[in-house]
Amino acid sequence: PVVILAIHLCGTLALKAVDMFNNHDVKFLALKPCCLPGMVYANRGDVFRIGKHSFPASDVCSAGYFQKKRWVGPPRQHLEHKFNVW
């Protein structure tokens, strides 16, 4: 059996981990993404798809990022909903 332990996956790497779980002989996935995808995806109007599930990139994208362990961007409490969706 294969297990995927996916910690601190930045941007859209979390989508890749879920895709691997869905499309390979993986028995368990532990996923803890760290960063929301960048605004480039929302600005293009992208739609993220995982299996039969899809959602607009604008639901989860953010302009914020960490720089030397310091958050640069909108107040993090304003992003809680996006993290919950992500």
Side-chain angles (χ1 to χ4, degrees):
V2 175
V3 172
I4 297 175
L5 176 59
I7 299 174
H8 287 280
L9 297 182
C10 292
T12 58
L13 284 177
L15 295 174
K16 299 288 185 193
V18 173
D19 185 56
M20 288 176 62
F21 176 77
N22 287 339
N23 295 309
H24 295 83
D25 188 26
V26 177
K27 302 299 180 194
F28 179 80
L29 168 65
L31 175 63
K32 174 60 176 95
C34 69
C35 303
L36 295 171
M39 287 303 296
V40 64
Y41 303 101
N43 293 339
R44 288 192 310 224
D46 288 3
V47 174
F48 295 133
R49 290 180 175 78
I50 302 173
K52 295 180 182 179
H53 181 71
S54 64
F55 52 97
S58 59
D59 285 357
V60 296
C61 290
S62 171
Y65 59 94
F66 280 97
Q67 183 177 40
K68 297 181 181 178
K69 298 183 180 182
R70 193 176 129 260
W71 177 250
V72 178
R76 291 177 68 189
Q77 66 269 21
H78 292 186
L79 301 174
E80 182 177 355
H81 174 73
K82 289 182 183 262
F83 273 104
N84 289 338
V85 171
W86 189 235

